[in-house]
Amino acid sequence: MEALKSYLAGQWVSGEGKGQTLYDPSTEEALATTSTEGLDFGGARAYGASKGGAALRAMTFAQRGEMLLALSRAIHSKRDELIESGMKNAGNTRSDAKFDVDGASGTLAAYGELGKSLGDATFFSDGEPISLGRSSRVSGQHVLVPRRGVAVHVNAFNFPAWGLAEKAACAWLAGMPVISKPATATAMLTVRMTEALVASGALPEGALQMIAGPSGDLIDRLGPQDVLAFTGAGSTGAMLRSKKNVIDHAVRVNVEADSLNAAILGSDVERGSDTWLLFITDVARDITQKAGQKCTAIRRVFVPKAMLEAACEDLVERLYGCVVGSPFAEGVTVGPLATAAQLRDVRAGLDRFVQAGAKVLTGGSAAVQGKGAPEGKGYFVAPTVLLAEDAHRINIVHEHEVFGPATTVLPYESNDECVQLVARAGGGLVSTVYTDDRAVSAEVALGIAAYHGRVCVANSRMGSGWLGPGTVLPQLLHGGPGRAGGGEELGGHRGMLLYMQRTALQGFGPLIEGAVAGSKRL
Ligand code: NAP
């Protein structure tokens, strides 16, 4: 069986001992092992900060952009192999694995183009010079310069390719080296992708290190110039951001956590209209794509009370054609969950919803025999729609994320009530209002905006530019307040700011002007 290696200080290395086993979630067969025990994480941190940081800071934005474009091409050239790896180790259908792998190369390419457009500068000036006296002799100018430490990226199991790329693209373009740590259970694809990135020759020494497993004492070693960007469960994020050294050194932390994203059917939308069909299509896609293991997936579906029965009927009908099973079996549209622990959590979550009063309209927590999977094996869950007729009293719907192929439909009677119900999740990544009506869009979209990092307003007139709310785009913010972790990623140049220090230069105007001459003004 393959023993996966980590890439630290420019070498492929293995830890001591037996380590952990990675599985094929369709068959429960062991695929590989990995150990990071005894690896020198302190050395990796120092190596990244000194070698990688210096090399990246010496490059212009345009050169970093060219590097990102080369890395994007490197992933694309290994696309089939990477997709295969996602199908095997993460249980992704081919189309789900493409979503992850193409998302990785696409995000690197988008940041590559951004880098080229920023030109020969190496840092930003933020706003115009500010005159601080009667003449321009004393002035102030804010600048954004790359931090001098390492960016440690801790990622969730559901996007082993995109997770590395979306965070690294921002850090590299800002001028910071990266140590990326995928979730152990699905690390195989990240290892394959790192091999491709390293082999491309496009990365300066020290710009990328990758830990294929637990990160040992790395987080405890982070210091004041380092950045920790985490994606995963809210409880893990809370634990990492409250570590003593993270607090003592004010290590900059970004957390992307859980979310109970909503889809809201506007009160103006009629059954069978194109906007109605778009709404049903988007909700069904988010239940089934990646077996619902997307942080952006629609977990709560708000429908005007008068339309409740019709919406439930159409949604359930749309899911009839789904085939759950191994991604390698003909016709399968929904793969397994990634791990045995996820299967246990999702089933337990669904049971809790039902105990709290939700009705199962289709699917549920019962065991499923996946197509093409050995008898009784695999971590499969049927696409599930629940109905919570009392949207106010079934609290768990607004509190607990079932990270699988499931959503809950809830009725509302007025826009105000809908906004209040959406807000009960305590902050989220993305919610969508489906409407053709300007008043509904203004009231609901702006009403829920303060609770989200992204709000979509969708109808049938958008055409092919609409990818659904579940696709995270490099141009727009990803993150959200409260439950979602309070973080911000991507959003074009905004995603770079996590890795840069904003500093006010103050003093003799002509000297400051000279110091910022090589910057790109934001
Ligand atoms: P998780 O258990 O919190 O794990 C996330 C990452 O944290 C993994 O790489 C894990 O490594 C690592 N980790 C755990 N304990 C650690 C420690 N003590 N020190 C350093 N690293 C540690 O979450 P998950 O089960 O992978 O992901 C599911 C959750 O992530 C869901 O709740 C989902 O909503 C959320 N999510 C959010 C987003 C977003 O962008 N907001 C995206 C995807 C997923 P090991 O695997 O080695 O334990």
Side-chain angles (χ1 to χ4, degrees), residues 431-443:
S431 287
T432 306
V433 191
Y434 293 83
T435 182
D436 294 298
D437 184 297
R438 278 172 187 256
V440 171
S441 142
E443 253 180 69

Side-chain angles (χ1 to χ4, degrees), residues 269-344:
V269 181
E270 289 182 12
R271 186 178 195 179
S273 67
D274 288 346
T275 298
W276 174 282
L277 295 176
L278 180 77
F279 160 76
I280 297 287
T281 301
D282 282 358
V283 175
R285 185 200 299 110
D286 270 12
I287 295 172
T288 54
Q289 191 173 45
K290 291 202 130 254
Q293 300 166 108
K294 278 189 322 196
C295 51
T296 51
I298 296 164
R299 306 292 177 199
R300 298 177 299 158
V301 181
F302 292 93
V303 175
K305 198 166 186 179
M307 292 296 193
L308 190 63
E309 210 179 312
C312 289
E313 261 175 36
D314 287 6
L315 185 54
V316 168
E317 193 186 313
R318 180 64 70 92
L319 295 171
Y320 280 155
C322 293
V323 181
V324 179
S326 161
F328 295 94
E330 186 73 28
V332 163
T333 55
V334 184
L337 299 179
T339 64
Q342 284 302 313
L343 177 66
R344 203 177 48 235

Side-chain angles (χ1 to χ4, degrees), residues 155 157-158 181 184 231-233 236 239 256-258 295 401 478:
N155 282 313
F157 68 84
N158 55 343
K181 183 224 154 333
T184 306
T231 295
T236 313
M239 180 271 292
E256 301 285 341
D258 324 347
C295 51
E401 180 192 44
H478 175 58

Side-chain angles (χ1 to χ4, degrees), residues 324 347 364 366-370 377-378 380-382:
V324 179
R347 281 183 169 165
V368 173
Q369 175 59 45
K377 295 283 185 192
F380 301 104
V381 171

Side-chain angles (χ1 to χ4, degrees), residues 126-161:
D126 176 9
E128 297 295 323
I130 303 158
S131 181
L132 297 172
R134 286 204 190 117
S135 74
S136 61
R137 292 168 71 119
V138 182
S139 70
Q141 170 72 62
H142 291 96
V143 293
L144 287 152
V145 294
R147 293 188 140 222
R148 299 279 178 127
V150 289
V152 171
H153 294 162
V154 178
N155 282 313
F157 68 84
N158 55 343
F159 282 99

Side-chain angles (χ1 to χ4, degrees), residues 12-222:
W12 288 98
V13 291
S14 304
E16 296 153 5
K18 241 173 65 203
Q20 296 182 40
T21 305
L22 282 71
Y23 295 92
D24 178 334
S26 299
T27 61
E28 302 183 33
E29 274 172 290
L31 289 178
T33 59
T34 189
S35 168
T36 57
E37 213 183 306
L39 295 180
D40 179 10
F41 295 113
R45 179 183 163 270
Y47 170 83
S50 63
K51 294 272 186 205
L56 286 162
R57 288 194 303 274
M59 296 163 76
T60 63
F61 284 131
Q63 287 168 334
R64 293 175 208 159
E66 292 292 356
M67 174 187 108
L68 296 183
L69 289 168
L71 296 173
S72 168
R73 288 192 294 272
I75 293 175
H76 195 70
S77 72
K78 295 279 177 194
R79 185 171 184 258
D80 289 342
E81 191 188 325
L82 297 175
I83 287 171
E84 175 96 7
S85 187
M87 291 169 72
K88 257 208 141 6
N89 179 212
N92 295 166
T93 62
R94 181 168 291 279
S95 121
D96 291 346
K98 280 184 199 163
F99 188 57
D100 187 20
V101 172
D102 293 346
S105 54
T107 303
L108 284 165
Y111 273 91
E113 293 299 339
L114 174 63
K116 279 170 63 182
S117 76
L118 295 173
D120 290 337
T122 57
F123 65 104
F124 290 128
S125 45
D126 176 9
E128 297 295 323
I130 303 158
S131 181
L132 297 172
R134 286 204 190 117
S135 74
S136 61
R137 292 168 71 119
V138 182
S139 70
Q141 170 72 62
H142 291 96
V143 293
L144 287 152
V145 294
R147 293 188 140 222
R148 299 279 178 127
V150 289
V152 171
H153 294 162
V154 178
N155 282 313
F157 68 84
N158 55 343
F159 282 99
W162 176 81
L164 183 152
E166 59 102 17
K167 285 185 170 60
C170 293
W172 285 329
L173 191 53
M176 269 196 96
V178 167
I179 302 179
S180 191
K181 183 224 154 333
T184 306
T186 56
M188 188 179 247
L189 170 50
T190 319
V191 172
R192 294 284 100 87
M193 197 171 93
T194 305
E195 288 166 356
L197 295 174
V198 170
S200 74
L203 282 164
E205 193 186 341
L208 174 63
Q209 301 180 79
M210 187 277 307
I211 303 169
S215 54
D217 61 357
L218 177 63
I219 310 292
D220 300 305
R221 289 172 171 275
L222 297 183

